[in-house]
Amino acid sequence: MSGDLKPVYLDYNATTPIASEVQAAIIENLDNWGNPSSSYAIGKRAKSAVDKARSQIAEMLDAQAVDIIFTSGGTESNHLAITSAINKYRESNTNTLPHIVTTNVEHPAITQPLRHYEEQNMCNVTYVPVVKGTGRVNVTAVLDSLQPRTCMVTIMLANNETGILQPVQQIFSEIRKLNLTRSEKILLHTDAAQVIGKLKVSAGELQADMITIVGHKFYGPRIGALYCRNPQNIIRPMFFGGNQERGFRSGTENVAMIAGLGAAAQLVTDNIDGYTKHLKNVRDYLRDGLMTRFQLVLNEEDPKLERGEVMWRYVDSHMLPNTLSVRFGGFSGNQLLAELSDTLQASTGAACHSGGSVSQILLNSWNWSEEGASQTVRLSVGRETRRSDIDRVLDGLAGLILGDEAVTLSRLKGRIVTNA
Ligand SMILES: Cc1ncc(COP(=O)(O)O)c(C=O)c1O
């Protein structure tokens, strides 16, 4: 049905293409091959490219360049944040285990290292459950979970599957007040992988000590960075070697990719309001189109959805502007995506879950059974998604779910078609 057209990509939470400005910066800096640690001209030139990118990333977060540490990506940034908190605690507390607070909807790049360090008897972890039906963690529940041994709170800014924003700023500002009276200060970390490039992120406003930055989620290369306020007080390195990144992360810098990350950050600094507006406009067009074609079921519980019925949670102020996680009655998400593979490229959850078992994130976020969670497809739009792309996806979905006649009817009459 889609002729020569390529399937519409609606999986921008999994990864984004590289922006042309980013590609240009990378290509230009492939020639900038000197070692930034060398004192002669080509080394200095490479160092200045790294310095420029550091400033660009800092500016994107309203931060200082000295607070940015380049890493290989989000997974490494999260590990660096966690191991720093654990090792810092252990330096002054040899008899007790550090305690870390997080939620039960974090990305595996947080939960897996935490589980590993728990198994190694290096820390204890509290996984505060989000409130079912909202996908959001309760501020008081997080504060109630704090202990004298708590050395870190790590809470993602937005979930990659549901698109739900967590109340990170409120939580961090309360903990900052508590920290004034605590001998063991709690480090505040947020994984902002899904938010940077979609909504404005300001390190100062969030009151975070550490923020994870992931290039390929905002049209940059597959490297990342960790924002860390006063890193000399906080960072305990994982990698030792040539003392690059002021010793916080040894290893000769990947200059071309770092320059690309800087260019991606520059685009965000210059255009974030426009990006947010566009993403929301297209995502809302998708939502409205789904409501025109299918029957939206408003229910916090777990009803059995009929074919032609859809469900989602949409709370504007608590959501990424680009994401709609949709449950389709009568189909499993995997089945629906397989049937529509010529029209739509999306996923049933995080990329690493695709094709696997039901997403625990959805089960923890909503009041749904496994069947409900398995009927879910994550649709996430990007900078280049147009309304015409959404129309194609909507037609494809309606054709599959309701039959071709219903597609024509809904187009002609522009009215709600609830069933085939
Ligand atoms: C919220 C979140 N954190 C961390 C990561 C990990 O990033 P990477 O796989 O690039 O290391 C991702 C990527 O899917 C993510 O969505």
Side-chain angles (χ1 to χ4, degrees), residues 298-315:
L298 294 168
N299 194 327
E300 298 274 303
E301 299 306 317
D302 186 31
K304 185 152 180 58
L305 288 193
E306 299 296 328
R307 190 177 174 125
E309 291 182 331
V310 289
M311 256 185 111
W312 56 69
R313 184 168 174 83
Y314 182 97
V315 183

Side-chain angles (χ1 to χ4, degrees), residues 149-163:
R149 295 181 295 123
T150 307
C151 67
M152 175 189 218
V153 170
T154 172
I155 298 181
M156 69 194 335
L157 205 45
N159 185 271
N160 42 302
E161 295 189 38
T162 61

Side-chain angles (χ1 to χ4, degrees), residues 67-83:
D67 296 337
I68 305 298
I69 301 162
F70 290 110
T71 66
S72 64
T75 302
E76 185 188 328
S77 295
N78 285 347
H79 277 69
L80 184 56
I82 294 168
T83 52

